[in-house]
Amino acid sequence: MAAKLEVRNLSKYFLSREGEPRKVLDSVSLDIADNEFVCIVGASGCGKTTFIRCIGGLIPAEEGQVRIAGRAVSAPGSDRGFVFQHDSLFPWRTVRDNIVFGLEVRGESAASTRPLADALIKLVGLSGFADHYPSELSGGMRQRVNLARALAIDPDVLLMDEPFAALDAQTREIMQRELLKIWTERRKTVLFITHQIDEAVYLADRVLVFSSRPGRLAADIRIPFARPRNLSIKRTPEFLAIVDDVWKLIEQEVVSAMQLAD
């Protein structure tokens, strides 16, 4: 299967307060296939968000290369859709108008984008809310709008940086299930960042474990569960065993980093 997203030897540095370069990412390489759903987990500060921002072209990497569908990434582009932890919707725009914002930036007319907006509103389960404003929506509903807005530009790759982190536990689980339903219909290539190991194992075809800083690819775990997946799979011994294995890998990385710091 051809890679939709290719990352080769990606390294990133930030300057410390003293002006010294500190390596955040250390020569990360990976391939993600077309329509594949991949999650990244790792300890806090391991460079997960920095990594996804480099792929999005939001910040430059000092070393390495990112390619999407064979094209080198050097800046943000419509081949990537972003869903961040905070929904960042425009409060003065309705649900429908928020969804089509990216298309308007391209120069498409409101009339031409309305059918797509209405289809996406139905897809993300917000029928009847097209003319509501963000202040009238719950957190989960706002993230559904955020997802629809990212899908509206029809990106090659969907980049999701802890999109459910601010939601309560029950809403988060519902959103996980809904995301898989949407992904099954749209079949986008997804790179998803999360701190929740069970979320990663439930959603992903593969779970990538990043080492403690500087971030490196410490493990690449293929998830064996067939799709579609019901939330009840989270209570099975097989699921819990994989979650435990991933947790042990992260724990080892954290302990090793603490020992090096001493």
Side-chain angles (χ1 to χ4, degrees), residues 56 68 71 75-81 102 106 150 152-157 188:
I68 293 178
R71 301 182 298 273
S78 60
D79 55 354
R80 283 146 285 155
R106 288 183 185 176
I153 61 173
D154 194 26
D156 288 321
V157 177
K188 292 295 178 185

Side-chain angles (χ1 to χ4, degrees), residues 164-181:
F164 306 147
L167 305 179
D168 63 81
Q170 293 81 9
T171 303
R172 185 170 188 151
E173 289 225 329
I174 291 168
M175 287 299 297
Q176 291 167 12
R177 183 187 64 198
E178 292 304 302
L179 174 59
L180 285 189
K181 286 173 59 179

Side-chain angles (χ1 to χ4, degrees), residues 186-237:
R186 288 299 175 111
R187 301 296 292 185
K188 292 295 178 185
T189 302
V190 178
L191 182 62
F192 188 106
I193 305 293
T194 180
H195 275 99
Q196 296 289 118
I197 298 171
D198 66 327
E199 180 171 74
V201 174
Y202 174 67
L203 293 173
D205 297 308
R206 291 156 56 207
V207 173
L208 309 181
V209 180
F210 269 30
S211 69
S212 294
R213 185 175 293 194
R216 296 180 297 273
L217 184 56
D220 185 340
I221 301 166
R222 187 161 293 279
I223 305 303
F225 306 121
R227 299 185 187 275
R229 297 173 186 169
N230 191 286
L231 283 168
S232 62
I233 197 174
K234 291 186 175 186
R235 297 188 290 274
T236 64

Side-chain angles (χ1 to χ4, degrees), residues 70-241:
R71 301 182 298 273
V73 168
S74 59
S78 60
D79 55 354
R80 283 146 285 155
F82 262 105
V83 182
F84 296 105
Q85 179 176 340
H86 301 289
D87 55 68
S88 66
L89 300 176
F90 298 115
W92 60 89
R93 296 177 72 106
T94 64
V95 166
R96 182 186 289 113
D97 290 342
N98 264 288
I99 289 171
V100 300
F101 175 74
L103 300 177
E104 289 180 7
V105 171
R106 288 183 185 176
E108 299 184 35
S109 68
S112 68
T113 60
R114 185 179 179 112
L116 174 60
D118 290 344
L120 288 171
I121 287 167
K122 181 178 180 181
L123 177 69
V124 300
L126 287 177
S127 296
F129 290 90
D131 297 316
H132 283 60
Y133 290 90
S135 62
E136 301 173 292
L137 307 177
S138 68
M141 293 168 78
R142 289 196 297 270
Q143 279 298 56
R144 290 170 187 260
V145 179
N146 208 23
L147 176 57
R149 182 171 62 180
L151 291 171
I153 61 173
D154 194 26
D156 288 321
V157 177
L158 191 59
L159 304 172
M160 308 186 75
D161 188 9
E162 297 195 68
F164 306 147
L167 305 179
D168 63 81
Q170 293 81 9
T171 303
R172 185 170 188 151
E173 289 225 329
I174 291 168
M175 287 299 297
Q176 291 167 12
R177 183 187 64 198
E178 292 304 302
L179 174 59
L180 285 189
K181 286 173 59 179
I182 293 164
W183 174 78
T184 298
E185 181 165 332
R186 288 299 175 111
R187 301 296 292 185
K188 292 295 178 185
T189 302
V190 178
L191 182 62
F192 188 106
I193 305 293
T194 180
H195 275 99
Q196 296 289 118
I197 298 171
D198 66 327
E199 180 171 74
V201 174
Y202 174 67
L203 293 173
D205 297 308
R206 291 156 56 207
V207 173
L208 309 181
V209 180
F210 269 30
S211 69
S212 294
R213 185 175 293 194
R216 296 180 297 273
L217 184 56
D220 185 340
I221 301 166
R222 187 161 293 279
I223 305 303
F225 306 121
R227 299 185 187 275
R229 297 173 186 169
N230 191 286
L231 283 168
S232 62
I233 197 174
K234 291 186 175 186
R235 297 188 290 274
T236 64
E238 296 82 4
F239 184 95
L240 294 173

